[in-house]
Amino acid sequence: MTNDNPSPLWIKDPLGILADGAERGIVVKDGRIVELVAAGRAPVTPAVKTFDAGAHIVLPGLINTHHHFYQTLTRAVPAALDRELFPWLEALYPIWARLTPEAVDLATTLAMAELMLSGCTMTTDHHYVFPKGLEDSIDIQVAAARRLGLRVLLTRGSMNRSRRDGGLPPEAVVQDEDTILADSERVVRRYHQAGDGAMIQIALAPCSPFSVTTSLMRATAELAARLDVRMHTHLAETEDENRYCLELHRCRPLDYLEDCGWLDGRTWLAHGVHFNADEFERLARAGTTITHCACSNQTLASGTCPVCALEEAGVAVGLGVDGSASNDSSNLMQEVRAAFLLQRGRYGIAKVSHRDALRWPTKGSAACAGRRDVGAIAVGMLADIALFKLDELRFSGSGDPLAALVLCGAHRADRLMVGGRWIVENGQIPGLDVADLIRRHSAAARKLQAGG
Ligand SMILES: [Zn+2]
């Protein structure tokens, strides 16, 4: 892929932009936003090339903060349809136990491409299934991100509490604590880039309280502190989980998390559906953040994340599409609309506007990822932006361009820039043969679902 922009680029006169004082666009140089161009002004940055954005709406690149890429191979699986979380997982674990490195590579590439074409410039992934032969899963994902030019926060997931120890997953998909911790340290030391401008970061991510031992939760927190990386897990997703936690640990999930040393500013949690008001305050004080997964929570009938109450208490909330077996799509722009509708239905018109919905996958998700250099269009931020057009039937007749993206259901970015480099142009990913990827990915999915 080419498209690097060594000289300053003025993204000129956009139809709309999610930034104040940038009516005439922005100037990008050396991978960063160096100037906002206000109405009636021209750039002061010298020797500017221009990109005419007259047909585009410019957003900060969307950031997906929860996913399980491998699950793109198990979308709409008949045995898992119409089931709640625990029986749904039990139907899928045996299929996931048959994953191969080739399947993980195809699933990762496909999920990343799907996210990019929906406007994502950065994504996380939560890969926690490590059957024999899949020890290099994170290495495979890093390679795919580099090929596509996507900014990532990949997590080294884990499970070590199988059915034998009172957990949910079968023996074939779990690893022992020593193996998990050693490999976690290996992938962090090998791939994690610290600080501003990082393209690849690694976090540590035990799957959930019902698939990991207390000992591993605690050791993971200690390792994350020592290596200075973030931590991620599922929490407070369902009522089942609350009951399980009360039975096994005699406390609620957040109490358990705190007891394990996880109620911390390094931690971001997927779901956060079943917290109470006292817990909102504790999350806020700790600086722990929440990823709202609107489609997944609705598909599995898990409940509705109290997004406005969390934000009012001071908890940052980002968005995530969640794994493709529970969404089943990896389209973050569609997730924005789903979250907007769900939260407006819960909290009313005064509390949820289209601008709130656009804040969640940008500023909110950046907080979940622990990044201050992405998630907003402002001078000094990385040049990670998503450009959408309003040239489809669904947008015809719309007035406010930013509102139209959310209300009319935008689902496909026309262009995407990461660190000043175009990685999507004219709705395509240069160098990626999408038809061939679909053919190979669906063949791998058929094989996996049929029993290897
Ligand atoms: Zn998940």
Side-chain angles (χ1 to χ4, degrees):
M1 277 182 250
T2 54
N3 322 314
D4 291 306
N5 292 298
S7 51
L9 180 70
W10 178 17
I11 297 171
K12 185 182 173 189
D13 293 333
L15 189 58
I17 184 164
L18 191 64
D20 294 329
E23 296 78 9
R24 295 214 64 203
I26 59 174
V27 180
V28 167
K29 186 185 171 200
D30 296 331
R32 300 215 174 235
I33 298 167
V34 295
E35 188 179 350
L36 305 187
V37 188
R41 309 292 288 271
V44 295
T45 311
V48 162
K49 287 187 178 177
T50 58
F51 172 81
D52 179 1
H56 291 95
I57 299 162
V58 183
L59 299 183
L62 307 183
I63 302 166
N64 178 43
T65 53
H66 190 60
H67 206 319
H68 313 286
F69 293 158
Y70 70 89
Q71 292 183 8
T72 58
L73 295 157
T74 51
R75 300 195 232 226
V77 168
L81 290 177
D82 307 326
R83 294 191 180 208
E84 290 187 3
L85 181 66
F86 281 16
W88 172 90
L89 278 169
E90 284 165 331
L92 288 168
Y93 280 138
I95 301 176
W96 297 338
R98 297 193 290 266
L99 280 169
T100 62
E102 296 73 26
V104 169
D105 182 33
L106 288 165
T108 300
T109 305
L110 186 119
M112 286 179 175
E114 212 183 334
L115 287 164
M116 286 162 65
L117 293 174
S118 80
C120 276
T121 50
M122 177 173 173
T123 186
T124 66
D125 188 55
H126 188 181
H127 186 92
Y128 56 81
V129 179
F130 287 84
K132 271 209 176 354
L134 267 196
E135 291 79 5
D136 293 341
S137 293
I138 307 305
D139 308 69
I140 291 167
Q141 295 194 316
V142 168
R146 284 183 175 151
R147 276 199 308 273
L148 291 165
L150 187 60
R151 200 179 298 282
V152 289
L153 170 57
L154 299 169
T155 72
R156 203 303 180 181
S158 55
M159 294 195 290
N160 75 333
R161 188 199 288 274
S162 68
R163 275 186 215 135
R164 201 179 58 188
D165 305 313
L168 208 59
E171 202 59 25
V173 293
V174 306
Q175 293 178 307
D176 65 66
E177 182 174 323
D178 289 346
T179 305
I180 290 164
L181 293 171
D183 193 55
S184 297
E185 182 154 1
R186 178 187 73 82
V187 293
V188 170
R189 293 205 184 281
R190 179 143 191 208
Y191 299 117
H192 180 74
Q193 300 165 352
D196 203 33
M199 282 299 293
I200 298 192
Q201 294 193 311
I202 306 287
L204 306 185
C207 182
S208 68
F210 49 85
S211 53
V212 170
T213 60
T214 305
S215 167
L216 179 59
M217 286 295 287
R218 289 192 177 133
T220 301
E222 285 163 17
L223 184 61
R226 179 157 66 79
L227 299 175
D228 193 20
V229 294
R230 294 186 74 70
M231 304 192 286
H232 182 51
T233 192
H234 296 96
L235 205 81
E237 181 173 1
T238 63
E239 288 290 4
D240 273 1
E241 182 192 323
N242 279 5
R243 275 194 295 275
Y244 178 89
C245 213
L246 280 166
E247 261 174 44
L248 192 74
H249 304 299
R250 306 195 185 288
C251 61
R252 287 172 55 81
L254 195 72
D255 301 324
Y256 177 63
L257 201 78
E258 184 167 26
D259 184 49
C260 293
W262 271 66
L263 192 56
D264 191 283
R266 297 181 186 282
T267 302
W268 90 101
L269 302 169
H271 303 301
V273 172
H274 297 283
F275 288 133
N276 60 34
D278 167 60
E279 292 168 337
F280 300 158
E281 301 293 331
R282 287 163 62 198
L283 288 161
R285 276 199 301 276
T288 301
T289 52
I290 304 291
T291 294
H292 175 35
C293 304
C295 289
S296 169
N297 294 159
Q298 290 176 90
T299 300
L300 297 176
S302 304
T304 305
C305 176
V307 169
C308 293
L310 284 162
E311 288 193 318
E312 279 167 18
V315 182
V317 178
L319 285 193
V321 296
D322 202 358
S324 309
S326 64
N327 183 321
D328 299 24
S329 123
S330 310
N331 191 308
L332 193 59
M333 198 62 210
Q334 288 186 330
E335 195 74 22
V336 173
R337 185 167 195 257
F340 166 78
L341 294 173
L342 189 64
Q343 297 299 330
R344 179 170 266 195
R346 175 164 184 161
Y347 289 103
I349 286 171
K351 289 210 173 172
V352 179
S353 72
H354 66 275
R355 284 182 175 268
D356 293 307
L358 290 169
R359 182 181 65 248
W360 298 326
T362 53
K363 195 174 166 207
S365 280
C368 289
R371 299 286 296 242
R372 296 199 175 142
D373 52 356
V374 293
I377 292 173
V379 171
M381 301 294 268
L382 293 170
D384 286 15
I385 51 172
L387 279 65
F388 292 82
K389 278 184 165 178
L390 300 182
D391 59 355
E392 295 173 63
L393 289 170
R394 64 176 67 205
F395 300 113
S396 184
S398 59
D400 182 312
L402 283 169
L405 287 182
V406 179
L407 299 174
C408 306
H411 65 118
R412 183 141 187 158
D414 184 60
R415 299 183 80 89
L416 206 62
M417 178 181 273
V418 172
R421 179 172 175 236
W422 293 117
I423 62 165
V424 171
E425 294 175 281
N426 305 317
Q428 309 288 329
I429 298 170
L432 184 74
D433 183 342
V434 169
D436 180 60
L437 177 60
I438 293 172
R439 186 182 56 73
R440 290 187 295 135
H441 178 271
S442 30
R446 274 196 302 277
K447 195 172 162 198
L448 193 69
Q449 291 179 35

